[in-house]
């Protein structure tokens, strides 16, 4: 059969507006269509793979069978536009806007301070909006489920949950006193002196929120209902440039299509085929969509079980199961119960709404969470073709390999039969993933056992695993040998041995973690063994006695509503009501961010003639470039040109970075180095041409990947930096104990939600250009473009409206990307846009430097540390970037809170063949201080003295001289420590944890308290300057520009508060447009928690200049209005424009003399965290965190607490889950949210309390405030050390005491393998030098 050449009209609605697309392209996603065709830019591109939720929309459809309208959230980056026929799409713009009226769901996230950079906010809004459309009063559990597919890198999630919890039926909010339950202080849990006069506990007033009125929602278009009811259902065709999409209605049509196009995939949710086409380059000329075939969408129940149509979405299956479980007798519903439980954690809510049950099965993915359960439950598949129908048993014979099954190419999976269970049948499922929610499992399992009646004799057994081979695998031989055995410890021992023999993982298995996966295989079976024993006992079958402390091994982690407190100092009683400094004001852009009206770089509309640029990067870690073959790429449709180093009109070397070129020339030194760039009419054309580029290499040696490689080859960038106090070597001789050790701290990807973006517009003369760029440092971008163009900075104007997250990753790298884009714009004479794909962003731009720390420590019997010698090795990558400054700051802060009398710290910057690493929040301090705390912890383990006592006895107690000979006063450090001990009820919690650990063998809890002393700012004076420009217009309105970049930290909000105070005008009079090198020249990077300090000083200075000019007029006419004063000043020819300049503090550091004054002031804090770990899987749950922060007198407590919570959560990610994985050849494997896991809403501590230290003042900074956005990240390590404490308890039960090694991050793999027990000791081990590992520790 030949394809029908005609194309049907695609009809759907967007925000109530009808869309008729006559040329629907199957390759076009809804996200692209919304942003580029309908100009609805509120829906954001975050990852392109459905893993971040930034592009979430609500899709609605009318079900003509039930005559009901269904609303579901979906990630628009995976939704083919062809799938939307007859549906209605609602985007964030359709929910509400500032032009009409905002919706309560937008208001609450904004006013609860749940929007910082704002890039994730529209997705959060749409997930919550969809939930409310389906259930106006959801439970907290439903709220957390709705947000499970959304990521946020800024807030730490707590304020988002707090704002949205006000909608929940189990929330007290808006029902009693109007105070949010997540902000309410539980007085009974606090001692009498914890709530003092002048203390505030309320960041927002829930009783001021608009009520939710479901009658005001956008209605489902009646036209679509009529279409569904009246129009004849027929097969539809949509033909694009390369692909034809066919949507049949009847099963017979589907079978006919499959017979004619056997290689065509069936696409129901596009959650498998879509990512394969996007990320793996898979191409399908024909795609068949079976979503309108009723036979594939029905669910039926019989006496034997339930039958699920293969196109049923996972959410639909879950909802049906939830209803069925209320009706089906428990003993018949065991398979359904297990399936339901597994569906709760499979992907995010949006993915479950889209993905189909049949697609999950047919994908034959090795990490499918459903296939092991369905196979173990002895499900059957009903398949059809033109040749007839047949039933296939879902077992190990069905799965032939990765993506392969025993189904014939022309067959269609119609339905899945799940049988009822029997009385003596037991079924369980297990999974362990890098993150609790929205993460592929490392290993999962489905297990089933049937006993002879009234006995524990096995009559049937089925065991299936995922994550242990190329597809789902079964332990058939093991199960056969277990039949007839008694369910007892002998059987357990035999089964574990047999399973390990049968399910064999080679040392080189893709995905790595081989020993961990082997351990999970038998740990899961042990859990199953315990579960079945408990159930047999309940059924009256005599069995081996289960130790009481084993029972919790079968339980899930405690789930509960997130409780929190935020306690801060109230404003002074005599502060003017008009003076808004110190008030917890909402972020000034929060409402616009919640409505999707806030503009980011890629939201700027395309210009006439605009081109798109895609980078071409190296595939070799160290090689000479033999040739660059452009011919095939240049012949491709839409390609305009390819730019290389030969096209650079100026310098190909970056400013200040003499070892870094714009384009690689002659050779490459890492995988991901930019060689050239393709410029085309569309981004799709540019991507295809980039893949067609042919680059020939000649590999070079050596290839240096790890710090150990660098040490061996002496591959360092510069001479080491060193600071020393006392006589370290002599002190070792007097110590009672001396030990040596080392610690690896992994790197971290910035994972800002907005990827690097730049638009360059050539002005047509004198090499003038406007550059719109996502940069923290527009001056550096300006200088980079000027240098590469061979012109001066006065011809290059850089503009930054706002940045969707940065964290240090947008300081240096945007300059290079802007330079490349500028070369393309200059060569073509047309505007050029470059927006990095998530995978390219992660590959090209680097991240936090991994550290290797080596140390030698001397301590006394009482725990006093008298000598320490520490060496840091940072993995900088293939260029220096800012890594020299990073190692310097790590050394400057190395002592943290500890007065170790003899202390030496040195640092080396390793030159390796990895993409160049760069600045990241904390700038080396989080890595360095983790190593310091690690050696302190080791002293505790070796001495037998509790860690908190070791920390306390070695702290600075009085004024002292730091390593660099600057005087230091620890009073606020000690206050923070004492208050944290008290407010966290540390010793009571520790006692309760000890009791818990005594009662639980396979679950352990741990606690840790960590101090923080952090020098804020830059150690080089020239980096502390800032400027501002303020205009007062004749109508009284005020325009403020300054050198700081708004990237979520609320700097613009604070600047407006400063102007309001200084000029004594309302905030409504003040506007901040953008940051531009055109208005404020020679800006300094917004970093180091210092941008508000210095830019605020400049804004303050400008305001005072203006105020001095206006004061005489005000004095003469005190009763007139602000507008009248301004008008009179204009009439008297008084300038209403002023610049403000702040020279900065005279900080310096002389490394030759090892002395300096690098910091103007210190920020202090302490943090106590409690965790629970599953010793059998390595999973953990953050139970409670209490943070005390010395914030001075906050300019805006809401913004500051948001920074604290967000930084802490990012630190939790760094230290417990965010793991970058590289091949031995330097290839980055973790290039998106599918592989790289940042914290999700479920990772928020169940009790999360933040206290701002009262009575703290900082006379050296703006209005006595302090910068704190960076320092708090380090306190996330309290979770790391709490995990260590829990592991130590587990090891103690195994008879192992003393120090043990735990690298950072403390992933589930590392936690599990550190909990040494009979299972970790039973697995086979491979000799380290006998194989090439899948990944290496960099």
């Amino acid at each position: 059969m030949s394809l029908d050449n005609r194309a049907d009209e695609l009809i759907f609605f967007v925000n109530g507006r009808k869309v008729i697309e006559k040329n629907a392209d199957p390759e076009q996603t809804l996200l692209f269509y919304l942003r580029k065709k309908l100009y609805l830019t509120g829906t954001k591109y975050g990852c392109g793979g459905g893993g971040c939720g930034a592009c979430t929309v609500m899709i609605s459809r009318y079900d003509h069978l039930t005559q009901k309208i269904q609303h579901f959230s979906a990630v628009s980056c995976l939704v083919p536009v062809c799938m939307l026929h007859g549906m209605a799409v609602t985007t964030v713009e359709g929910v509400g806007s500032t032009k009409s009226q905002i919706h309560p769901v937008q208001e609450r996230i904004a006013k609860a301070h749940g929007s910082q950079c704002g890039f994730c906010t529209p997705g959060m809004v749409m997930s919550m909006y969809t939930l409310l459309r389906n259930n106006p009063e959801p439970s907290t559990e439903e709220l957390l489920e709705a947000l499970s597919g959304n990521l946020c890198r800024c807030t730490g999630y707590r304020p988002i949950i707090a704002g949205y919890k006000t909608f929940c039926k189990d929330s007290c909010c808006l029902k009693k006193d109007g105070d949010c339950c997540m902000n309410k202080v539980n007085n009974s849990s606090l001692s009498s002196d914890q709530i003092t006069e002048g203390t505030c506990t309320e960041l927002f007033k829930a009783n001021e929120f608009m009520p939710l009125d479901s009658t005001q929602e956008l209605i489902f278009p009646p036209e679509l209902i009529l279409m569904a009811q009246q129009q004849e259902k027929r097969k539809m065709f949509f033909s694009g440039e390369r692909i034809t999409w066919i949507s049949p209605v009847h099963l017979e049509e589907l079978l006919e299509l499959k017979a004619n196009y056997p290689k065509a995939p069936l696409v129901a949710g596009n959650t498998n085929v879509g990512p394969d086409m996007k990320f793996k380059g898979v191409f399908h000329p024909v795609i068949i969509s079976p979503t309108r075939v009723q036979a594939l969408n029905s669910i039926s129940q019989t006496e034997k079980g339930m039958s699920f149509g293969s196109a049923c979405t996972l959410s639909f299956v879950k909802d049906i199961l939830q209803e069925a479980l209320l009706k089906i007798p428990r003993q018949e519903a065991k398979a359904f119960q297990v399936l339901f439980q597994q569906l709760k954690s499979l992907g995010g809510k949006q993915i479950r709404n889209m993905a189909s049950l049949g697609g999950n099965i047919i994908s034959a993915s090795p990490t499918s969470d459903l296939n092991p359960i369905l196979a173990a439950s002895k499900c059957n598949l009903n398949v059809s073709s033109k040749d007839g129908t047949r039933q296939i048993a879902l077992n190990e014979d069905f799965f032939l390999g990765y993506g392969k099954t025993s189904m014939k190419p022309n067959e269609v999976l119609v339905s899945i039969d799940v049988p009822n269970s029997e009385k003596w049948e037991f079924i369980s499922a297990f999974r362990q993933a890098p993150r609790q929610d929205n993460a592929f499992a490392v290993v999962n399992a489905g297990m089933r056992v049937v006993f002879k009646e009234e006995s524990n004799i096995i009559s049937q057994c089925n065991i299936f695993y995922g994550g242990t081979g190329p597809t789902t695998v079964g332990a058939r031989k093991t199960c056969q040998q277990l039949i007839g055995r008694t369910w007892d410890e002998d059987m357990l021992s035999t089964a574990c041995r047999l399973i390990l023999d049968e399910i064999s993982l080679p040392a080189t298995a893709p995905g790595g973690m081989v020993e961990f996966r082997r351990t999970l295989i038998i740990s899961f079976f042990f859990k199953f063994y315990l579960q079945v024993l408990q159930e047999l006992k309940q059924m009256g079958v005599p069995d081996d006695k289960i130790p009481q402390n084993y029972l919790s091994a079968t339980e899930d982690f405690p789930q509960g509503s997130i409780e929190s407190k935020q306690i801060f100092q109230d404003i002074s009683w005599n502060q003017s009501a008009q003076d808004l400094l110190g008030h917890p004001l909402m972020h000034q852009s929060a409402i616009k961010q919640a409505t999707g009206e806030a503009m980011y770089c890629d939201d700027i509309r395309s210009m006439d003639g605009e081109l798109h640029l895609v980078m071409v990067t190296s595939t070799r870690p160290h090689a000479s470039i033999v040739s660059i073959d452009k011919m095939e790429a240049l012949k491709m449709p839409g390609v305009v040109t390819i730019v290389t180093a030969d096209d650079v009109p100026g310098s190909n070397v970056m400013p200040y970075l003499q070892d870094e070129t714009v384009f690689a020339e002659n050779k490459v030194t890492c995988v991901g180095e930019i060689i050239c760039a393709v410029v085309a009419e569309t981004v799709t054309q540019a991507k295809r041409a980039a893949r067609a580029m042919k680059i020939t290499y000649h590999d070079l040696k050596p290839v240096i990947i790890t710090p150990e490689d660098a040490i061996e080859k002496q591959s360092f960038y510069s001479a080491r930096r060193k600071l020393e106090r006392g006589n370290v070597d002599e002190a070792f001789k007097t110590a009672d104990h001396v030990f040596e050790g080392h610690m690896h701290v992994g790197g971290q990807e910035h994972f800002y939600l907005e990827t690097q973006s730049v638009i360059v517009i050539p002005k047509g003369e004198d090499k003038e250009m406007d550059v719109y760029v996502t940069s923290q440092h527009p001056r550096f971008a300006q200088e980079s473009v000027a240098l590469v163009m061979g012109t001066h900075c006065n011809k290059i104007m850089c503009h930054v409206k706002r940045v969707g997250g940065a964290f240090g990753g947008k300081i240096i790298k945007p300059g290079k990307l802007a330079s490349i884009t500028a070369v393309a714009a200059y060569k073509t004479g047309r505007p050029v846009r470059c927006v990095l794909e998530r995978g390219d962003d992660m590959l090209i731009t680097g991240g936090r430097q991994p550290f290797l720390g080596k140390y030698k420590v001397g301590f006394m019997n009482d725990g006093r540390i008298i000598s320490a010698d520490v060496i840091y090795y940072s993995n900088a990558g293939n260029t220096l970037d800012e890594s020299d400054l990073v190692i310097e700051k790590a050394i400057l802060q190395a002592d943290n809170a500890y007065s170790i009398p003899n202390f030496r710290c040195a640092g080396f910057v390793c030159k390796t063949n990895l993409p160049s690493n760069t600045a990241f929040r904390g700038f080396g301090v989080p890595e360095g201080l983790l190593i310091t705390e690690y050696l302190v912890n080791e002293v505790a383990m070796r001495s037998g003295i509790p860690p908190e006592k070791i920390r306390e006895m070695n702290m600075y107690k009085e004024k002292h001289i730091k390593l660099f000979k600057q005087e230091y006063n620890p009073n606020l450090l000690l206050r923070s420590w004492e208050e944290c001990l008290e407010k966290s009820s540390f010793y009571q919690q520790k006692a309760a944890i000890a009791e818990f650990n005594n009662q639980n063998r396979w679950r352990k809890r741990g606690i840790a308290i960590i101090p923080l002393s952090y020098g804020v700012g830059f150690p080089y004076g020239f980096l502390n300057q800032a400027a501002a420009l303020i205009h007062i217009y004749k109508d009284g309105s005020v325009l403020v520009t300054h050198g700081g970049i708004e990237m979520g930290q609320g700097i613009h909000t604070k600047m407006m508060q400063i102007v309001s105070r200084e000029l004594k005008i309302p905030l409504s009079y003040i506007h901040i447009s953008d940051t531009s090198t055109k208005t404020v020249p020679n800006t300094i990077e917004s970093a180091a928690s210092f941008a508000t300090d210095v830019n605020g000083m400049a804004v303050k200075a400008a305001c005072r200049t203006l105020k001095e000019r206006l004061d005489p007029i005000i004095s003469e006419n005190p009763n007139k209005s602000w507008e009248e004063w301004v008008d009179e000043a204009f009439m008297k020819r008084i300038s209403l424009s002023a610049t403000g300049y702040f020279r900065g503090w005279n900080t310096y550091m002389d490394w030759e003399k090892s002395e300096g004054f690098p910091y103007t002031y210190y920020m202090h804090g302490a943090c106590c965290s409690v965790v629970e770990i599953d010793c059998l899987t390595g999973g953990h749950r953050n139970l409670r965190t209490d943070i005390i922060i010395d914030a001075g007198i906050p300019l805006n407590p809401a913004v500051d607490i948001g920074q604290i919570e967000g930084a802490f959560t990012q630190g939790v990610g760094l230290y417990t889950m965010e793991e970058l994985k590289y091949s031995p050849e330097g290839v980055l494997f973790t290039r998106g949210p599918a592989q790289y896991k940042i914290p999700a809403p479920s990772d928020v501590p169940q009790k999360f309390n933040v206290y701002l230290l009262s009575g703290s003042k900082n006379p050296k900074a703006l209005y006595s405030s302090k910068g704190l956005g960076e320092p708090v990240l380090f306190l996330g390590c309290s979770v790391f050390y709490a995990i260590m404490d829990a592991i130590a308890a587990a090891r103690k039960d195994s008879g192992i005491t003393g120090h043990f090694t735990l690298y950072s991050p403390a992933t589930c793999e590392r936690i599990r393998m550190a909990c040494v027990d009979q299972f970790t000791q039973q697995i086979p081990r491979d000799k380290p030098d006998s194989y090439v590992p899948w990944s290496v520790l960099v």
Side-chain angles (χ1 to χ4, degrees), residues 314 317 338-340 342-343 346 356-357 360-361 367-376 394 444 472:
L314 300 182
V317 172
V338 171
L339 189 59
F340 173 74
Q342 204 76 329
L343 283 168
L346 195 158
S356 67
L357 178 61
N360 196 284
I361 295 168
T367 56
S368 166
D369 283 322
L370 301 185
N371 283 339
I373 305 170
L374 297 172
L394 185 60
N444 52 35
T472 300

Side-chain angles (χ1 to χ4, degrees), residues 463-465 468-469 473-476 478 498-505 518 521:
I463 301 171
F464 288 86
Y465 290 100
T468 59
V473 296
R476 176 178 282 172
T478 299
L498 292 172
I499 292 171
L500 287 174
D501 288 341
E502 187 171 1
I503 310 295
S504 177
L505 267 174
R518 290 170 180 165
I521 288 171

Side-chain angles (χ1 to χ4, degrees), residues 1155-1293:
E1155 65 181 38
F1157 186 80
Y1159 304 119
T1160 306
Y1161 65 87
Y1162 282 81
M1163 193 228 78
H1164 306 89
C1167 181
C1168 175
S1169 288
V1170 177
V1171 302
E1172 182 175 326
I1173 67 170
D1174 185 330
C1175 305
L1176 291 168
T1177 66
H1180 81 275
R1181 186 74 171 92
N1182 302 324
L1183 299 182
R1184 176 172 174 171
T1185 290
D1186 294 89
I1187 304 176
I1188 309 292
I1189 293 298
D1190 152 36
I1193 299 178
L1195 301 179
N1196 186 323
V1199 169
D1200 287 348
I1201 288 173
Q1203 286 291 287
I1204 290 167
E1205 293 169 334
F1208 171 80
T1209 303
Q1210 200 169 59
V1212 170
L1214 168 65
Y1215 298 126
T1216 68
M1217 71 174 65
E1218 296 183 39
E1219 190 173 23
L1220 292 165
K1221 294 192 175 183
Y1222 288 89
S1223 77
E1225 295 78 32
V1227 177
L1228 179 64
F1229 289 134
T1230 45
R1231 293 183 55 182
Q1235 305 90 22
Y1236 185 83
K1237 298 301 175 187
I1238 69 170
S1242 58
D1243 297 301
V1244 179
Q1246 289 186 341
K1247 292 186 178 180
F1248 194 9
N1249 305 321
V1250 176
Y1251 307 84
L1252 301 188
L1253 193 69
S1254 62
S1256 166
K1257 294 184 179 181
N1258 181 25
K1260 296 179 180 178
L1262 186 67
Y1263 305 121
S1264 206
S1265 63
K1266 288 190 176 184
L1268 43 72
E1270 291 209 333
V1272 181
L1273 184 142
F1274 165 69
L1275 292 177
C1277 80
S1278 59
V1279 174
F1280 177 91
Y1281 288 106
I1283 287 171
M1284 281 198 80
D1285 187 48
I1287 293 171
R1291 292 168 67 90
K1292 183 179 178 182
D1293 282 0

Side-chain angles (χ1 to χ4, degrees), residues 832-1092:
V832 178
R833 183 183 301 246
C834 174
V835 179
L836 291 188
E837 292 277 352
R838 175 63 61 186
D840 290 338
D841 192 298
M842 294 182 72
L843 176 68
I844 293 169
T845 64
R848 186 185 297 280
Q849 293 82 357
F851 268 42
L852 167 64
K854 295 187 176 183
Y855 53 84
K856 182 178 179 181
V857 180
F859 69 96
M860 308 306 288
N861 288 328
D862 62 0
R864 285 180 298 114
I865 302 171
I866 65 168
S867 188
D869 187 3
V870 181
I871 303 175
Y872 298 144
Y873 297 92
S874 76
N875 193 332
N878 71 323
T879 67
L880 183 57
D881 198 279
E882 293 193 288
S883 292
D884 54 344
L885 303 178
V886 167
I887 202 76
E888 286 180 2
K889 187 162 179 71
I891 294 169
L892 287 170
Q893 303 267 178
D895 58 344
N896 190 19
Y898 304 115
S899 177
I900 300 172
N902 305 283
F903 190 97
R904 179 167 60 226
C905 186
F908 293 88
V909 181
C910 300
K911 184 176 184 179
T912 63
N913 295 113
L914 294 181
S916 178
N917 286 309
T918 189
F920 201 127
R921 196 178 200 168
F923 218 64
V925 175
E927 302 99 299
L929 291 195
L930 187 75
I931 294 166
T932 300
E933 293 296 337
Y934 195 77
L935 67 87
V936 171
N937 221 61
E938 187 166 346
V939 170
M941 286 187 171
R942 290 179 179 273
S943 66
I945 300 171
E948 66 276 7
K949 296 299 183 185
I950 296 293
R951 290 186 166 96
E952 195 169 87
M953 75 171 67
N954 286 289
M955 268 187 215
Y956 287 105
K957 298 294 194 307
E958 55 192 22
K959 286 186 179 180
H960 208 285
I961 301 299
K962 284 287 212 175
L963 296 176
F964 36 84
K965 302 179 177 61
Q966 180 180 355
E967 186 176 82
Y968 172 71
N969 186 338
N971 284 347
L972 293 172
L973 165 68
L974 298 173
R975 274 194 60 201
S976 299
W977 176 262
E978 291 298 330
E979 289 205 23
C980 191
L981 285 171
E982 176 189 349
K983 287 182 164 58
S984 67
S985 303
F986 178 84
Y987 290 107
Q988 295 96 311
Q989 285 203 82
K990 188 168 183 178
I993 287 168
E995 181 64 23
F996 177 90
N997 289 342
N998 284 335
Q999 295 175 1
N1000 295 274
R1001 171 61 185 94
W1002 301 107
R1003 286 292 180 88
K1004 297 295 178 186
R1005 290 182 178 175
I1007 187 170
I1009 182 169
I1010 302 293
L1012 172 63
S1013 173
Y1014 192 103
V1016 177
F1018 296 104
Y1020 301 104
F1022 77 92
L1023 291 174
N1024 297 326
Q1025 62 183 304
L1029 174 64
I1030 298 180
H1031 301 313
I1032 302 176
Y1033 291 94
K1034 193 169 174 292
D1035 64 354
S1037 63
V1038 177
L1039 178 65
V1040 180
T1041 53
H1042 59 90
I1045 299 297
E1046 178 57 69
M1047 47 197 174
Q1049 84 281 39
I1051 188 171
H1052 285 352
T1053 307
K1054 290 182 176 180
M1055 295 304 107
M1056 292 171 68
Q1057 288 177 275
I1058 292 166
V1059 174
S1060 175
R1061 164 177 277 194
E1062 294 296 330
L1063 297 182
K1064 297 183 172 58
I1065 58 175
L1067 283 178
S1068 60
Y1069 284 47
I1070 305 162
H1071 179 65
I1072 296 179
S1073 178
D1074 64 1
T1075 303
S1076 173
T1077 57
K1078 194 171 187 175
T1079 51
V1080 179
N1082 309 319
T1083 58
I1084 299 300
E1085 63 198 67
S1086 293
S1089 302
F1090 222 44
T1092 295

Side-chain angles (χ1 to χ4, degrees), residues 348-380:
K349 178 70 171 177
Q350 300 95 317
I351 295 295
R352 293 196 294 273
N353 289 338
M354 298 165 61
S356 67
L357 178 61
N360 196 284
I361 295 168
I362 297 300
S363 70
S365 168
T367 56
S368 166
D369 283 322
L370 301 185
N371 283 339
I373 305 170
L374 297 172
S377 301
K378 299 186 74 65
C379 295
N380 290 311

Side-chain angles (χ1 to χ4, degrees), residues 360-521:
N360 196 284
I361 295 168
I362 297 300
S363 70
S365 168
T367 56
S368 166
D369 283 322
L370 301 185
N371 283 339
I373 305 170
L374 297 172
S377 301
K378 299 186 74 65
C379 295
N380 290 311
L381 307 179
N382 299 305
V383 301
S384 295
S385 70
K386 283 189 69 178
D387 300 328
T389 62
R390 65 182 180 126
Q391 194 170 73
I392 306 174
L394 185 60
N395 56 29
E396 51 269 85
D397 296 329
F398 176 75
F399 301 106
L400 304 181
Y402 182 80
K404 297 179 180 178
T405 71
S406 63
M407 283 179 57
K408 299 173 184 177
N410 65 333
E411 287 184 319
V412 171
L413 174 59
V414 177
S415 62
I416 301 95
D417 293 340
V418 183
N420 291 337
S421 54
E422 301 173 2
K423 181 178 180 181
W424 295 98
E425 179 180 4
F426 303 94
I427 305 170
S428 293
F430 308 92
R431 76 188 304 267
Q432 181 57 45
R435 187 176 63 198
Q436 183 174 332
D437 286 336
N438 199 15
F440 290 118
V442 177
V443 175
N444 52 35
M447 300 183 185
R448 169 181 174 270
V449 64
V450 181
F451 296 101
K452 294 181 179 179
E453 288 198 18
E454 308 293 339
S455 78
N456 60 355
I457 307 298
I458 301 170
S459 65
Q460 294 180 43
C461 186
N462 302 91
I463 301 171
F464 288 86
Y465 290 100
T468 59
T471 187
T472 300
V473 296
R476 176 178 282 172
K477 294 178 182 177
T478 299
C479 293
Q480 289 172 346
Q481 294 189 52
L482 293 181
I483 293 173
R485 298 287 300 265
T486 302
W487 195 261
D488 56 20
E489 285 195 26
D490 287 341
M491 182 281 304
L492 171 66
S493 177
T494 300
C496 289
R497 175 177 54 79
L498 292 172
I499 292 171
L500 287 174
D501 288 341
E502 187 171 1
I503 310 295
S504 177
L505 267 174
T508 57
M513 302 183 286
V514 170
E515 292 182 354
F516 174 48
R517 289 150 77 184
R518 290 170 180 165
T519 304
L520 286 178
I521 288 171

